[in-house]
């Protein structure tokens, strides 16, 4: 990993604090107050205790002694009370913080360009950030603890310095013991411990970091084989049939072998703090001898020994902690930088600002508005071949267009481009003559209702799935389910619209068949009530009766909306005003069924004849 400069670390830390403020407001602040109180309490006790002992060993004023004892008790009580109140609130926030860190990651994933989800380089980056989230909270967790330690260390240093100053100002009468050279000497003894500890931490971190990088593959393998493969119902079927758990056993075996190779890291990591402890011990002994000698030579009372030893000890720990904080900052800044690189991946789709004139899509007789593919070519990220080549396609609002063609001819790709899941590699798609990239993305998307071939439903209630929202209009959702042909099944659902689908969250969730799911997806598209409705193989999972029902009701389903209907079942497309025939990423024919059938050499005729033989349909049926 590239070494970060101090300036970069300050910039990264500041941005990390901004994210903490945004996602977990109050957490870092409360932890800092708690850290400050944790540092103040023992030092105030040391200071007051020293005063009590000095009083006992000196003039022994009973009133003064009582006052000091009460002061120790009251300050301890108040600081403890306040600290535990702050701690309780901070603990609650801390328990949630990993979820909030997950939200930082999820928010970015949600707003990313869809095309980036398939870009291998970005996928690797995303994978690395999500693994880092799992292990280090992307540096954000370390930042919370780092800030906590920073406040604690700074308070310890500040307070213990103020309690130590008089150690060097008190005279013994001996030139040697009163020499100002003791100031840098003692400072060096205290600082040496800090330096040794910080070096130890840096070495330890480097070994740990290398070890973690070594185990990335195993984490991935175990996440997949241990958490994904055996429990995801779609995969669990195949795992059982093909006994794929053997792959997991192999990965486990490999990890055990690797563990032996990496066992040395534990010994190396353990030896660094031990060496540092030795240096700290030597420094402490020198400090103690100096303080005791000064007291012995009459510079101060016996109580002050407690104060100076306590304060020097705390100064040492404060310095060590500060070194830890700085060494740690370098490590988590690296993790944070990885997160920021990921968050800074540009989202091109959000660059457009033009509002979409929704009135344009009402069928109010004004059909001047149209969508046009102008010489569009498209290659998927990382793919060598074009999925669409020089595509020209124009359709007007209110039209029903069927898109047919062999598998892989580019039908779905054309829809993905229309919905701006991808942007064309060359050429442009225009809405009313304006490149669709110029429109506000969310507004532009709001004009489409799409049922993709590989649609997904969610583990919410049936009604929430239809509405794609937590709150919804029940009556409207029921109407949409009825239109999609699911009213019979709705009656058998134990809680009607409130019945949870699938069992991910609710044990009483209902598993529905592929065909039923397709109807729910259709109902969801109808509920959105967008002016454009696009159905990509909407009957693929339906039985022949349900399929026929959808065709006969198609006009009713789509109303006066613009409809694009993709199918490889040609007989199902005849209710559309026009049919566009795709081949090899381009539209090769376009027209009504009757006209296309007249072109005997055309692809449509060829496909129709092939299907007619298979399904037993007459040419003119
Ligand atoms: P259709 O819908 O007509 O069956 P598609 O539009 O799905 O065809 O696919 C057109 C071409 O693009 C095919 O060659 C397919 O393999 C390719 N393709 C589809 N999706 C991807 C993808 N995500 N990455 C790379 N190539 C893809």
């Amino acid at each position: 990993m590239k070494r970060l400069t101090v300036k970069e670390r300050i910039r990264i830390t500041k941005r990390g604090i901004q994210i903490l403020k945004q996602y977990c407001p109050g957490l870092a602040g409360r932890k800092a107050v708690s850290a400050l109180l944790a540092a103040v309490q023992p030092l105030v006790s040391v200071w007051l205790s020293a005063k009590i002992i000095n009083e006992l060993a000196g003039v022994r004023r009973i009133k003064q002694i009582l006052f000091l004892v009460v002061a120790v008790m009251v300050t301890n009580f108040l600081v403890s009370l306040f600290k535990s109140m702050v701690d309780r609130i901070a603990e609650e926030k801390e328990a949630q913080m990993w979820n909030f860190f997950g939200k930082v990651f999820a928010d970015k994933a949600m707003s990313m360009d869809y095309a980036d989800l398939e870009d291998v380089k970005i996928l690797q980056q995303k994978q690395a950030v999500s693994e880092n989230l799992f292990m280090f909270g992307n540096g954000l967790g370390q930042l919370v603890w780092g800030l906590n330690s920073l406040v604690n260390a700074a308070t310890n240093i500040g307070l213990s310095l103020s309690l130590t100053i008089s150690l060097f100002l008190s005279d013994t009468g001996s030139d040697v013991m009163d020499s100002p050279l003791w100031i840098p000497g003692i400072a060096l003894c205290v600082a040496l411990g800090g330096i040794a500890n910080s070096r130890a931490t840096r070495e330890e971190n480097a070994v740990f970091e290398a070890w973690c990088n070594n185990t990335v593959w195993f984490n991935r393998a175990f996440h997949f084989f241990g958490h994904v493969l055996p429990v995801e119902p779609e995969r669990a079927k195949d795992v059982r049939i093909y006994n794929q758990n053997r792959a997991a056993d192999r990965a486990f075996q490999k990890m055990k072998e690797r563990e032996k190779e990496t066992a040395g890291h534990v010994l190396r990591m353990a030896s660094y703090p031990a060496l540092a402890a030795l240096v700290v011990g030597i420094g402490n002994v020198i400090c103690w001898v100096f303080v005791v000698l000064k007291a012995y030579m009459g510079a101060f009372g016996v109580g002050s020994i407690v104060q100076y030893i306590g304060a020097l000890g705390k100064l040492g720990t404060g310095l060590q902690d500060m070194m830890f904080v700085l060494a740690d900052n370098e490590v988590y800044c690296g993790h944070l930088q990885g997160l920021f690189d990921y968050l800074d991946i540009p989202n091109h789709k959000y660059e457009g600002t033009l509002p979409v004139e929704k009135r344009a899509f009402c069928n109010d007789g004004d059909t001047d508005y149209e969508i046009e593919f102008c010489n569009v070519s498209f290659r998927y990220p990382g793919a060598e071949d074009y999925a669409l080549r020089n595509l020209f396609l124009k359709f007007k609002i209110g039209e029903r267009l069927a898109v047919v063609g062999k598998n892989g001819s580019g039908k779905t790709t054309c829809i993905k481009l229309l919905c701006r899941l991808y942007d064309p590699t060359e050429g442009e798609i225009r809405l009313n003559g304006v490149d669709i990239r110029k429109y506000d993305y969310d507004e532009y998307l709001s004009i489409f209702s799409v049922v993709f071939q590989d649609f997904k439903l969610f583990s919410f209630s049936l009604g929430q799935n239809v509405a794609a929202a937590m709150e919804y209009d029940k009556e409207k959702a029921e109407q949409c389910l009825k239109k999609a042909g699911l009213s019979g099944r709705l009656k058998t659902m134990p809680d009607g619209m409130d019945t949870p689908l699938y069992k991910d969250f609710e044990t009483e969730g209902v598993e529905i068949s592929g065909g039923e799911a397709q109807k729910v997806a259709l109902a969801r598209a109808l509920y959105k009530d967008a002016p454009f409705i696009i159905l990509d193989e909407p009957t693929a999972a339906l039985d022949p009766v349900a399929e026929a029902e959808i065709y006969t009701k198609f006009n009713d389903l789509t109303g006066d909306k613009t409809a694009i209907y993709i199918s490889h079942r040609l007989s199902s497309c005849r209710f559309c005003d026009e049919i566009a025939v795709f081949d090899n990423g381009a539209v090769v024919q376009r027209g009504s069924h009757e006209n296309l059938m007249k072109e005997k050499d055309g692809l449509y005729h060829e496909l129709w004849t092939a299907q007619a033989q298979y399904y037993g349909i007459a040419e003119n049926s």
Side-chain angles (χ1 to χ4, degrees), residues 118 380 383 387 406-414 416 422 453:
E118 289 183 356
Y380 279 97
K406 293 179 192 163
N407 284 341
S409 56
K411 305 181 294 291
T412 303
T413 305
C414 166
K416 288 184 186 166
Y422 301 92
Q453 264 180 64

Side-chain angles (χ1 to χ4, degrees), residues 531-553:
F532 251 87
I533 183 154
I534 302 172
L535 307 175
D536 190 353
E537 301 281 3
T539 57
L542 300 187
D543 58 59
V545 177
E547 189 180 6
E549 204 184 323
I550 296 279
Y551 298 150
T552 35
K553 286 201 308 194

